[in-house]
Amino acid sequence: MKKYPYIFLFVFLNIINVYSQDIHFSKFSSAPLLLNPALTGNFSCNLRAGLNYRKQAESITVPFETYSAFIDGKFMPKNNKRSWWGMGGVF
């Protein structure tokens, strides 16, 4: 039982990178798969795709540019129209 606090301390101190919401695509409608992957396929059509381009900090010599693309869709089972499987990807 005395090992558990040491294991917790070891894991806690060895966390190098912790990620949260992406600050470059924080607008709700810009990157829906990055904001909430659980809503993949939750829209009224069968397929959704999008491209994002952001250019920030133009006052510095090299502005920060960010690109991304996403696609997701819903796949309905043949016998049930009220449920679906969502599948998508972000590039």
Side-chain angles (χ1 to χ4, degrees):
M1 278 309 268
K2 293 184 179 185
K3 282 194 287 186
Y4 292 118
Y6 295 115
I7 292 173
F8 176 75
L9 185 63
F10 176 76
V11 170
F12 182 74
L13 292 177
N14 285 316
I15 295 174
I16 295 172
N17 293 327
V18 177
Y19 298 103
S20 63
Q21 181 180 358
D22 188 5
I23 61 170
H24 305 292
F25 298 119
S26 59
K27 189 175 177 184
F28 180 74
S29 61
S30 292
L33 296 183
L34 288 177
L35 293 176
N36 191 354
L39 295 178
T40 302
N42 190 13
F43 47 90
S44 60
C45 302
N46 288 332
L47 186 66
R48 170 175 62 177
L51 300 170
N52 288 317
Y53 168 74
R54 295 280 307 263
K55 186 173 185 179
Q56 299 171 341
E58 292 186 23
S59 62
I60 60 175
T61 57
V62 180
F64 185 74
E65 295 182 0
T66 308
Y67 305 92
S68 81
F70 68 91
I71 185 167
D72 67 328
K74 83 174 62 166
F75 304 98
M76 294 186 183
K78 292 180 181 178
N79 58 356
N80 190 355
K81 296 288 183 183
R82 299 183 72 183
S83 64
W84 68 86
W85 295 353
M87 190 166 147
V90 178
F91 309 101

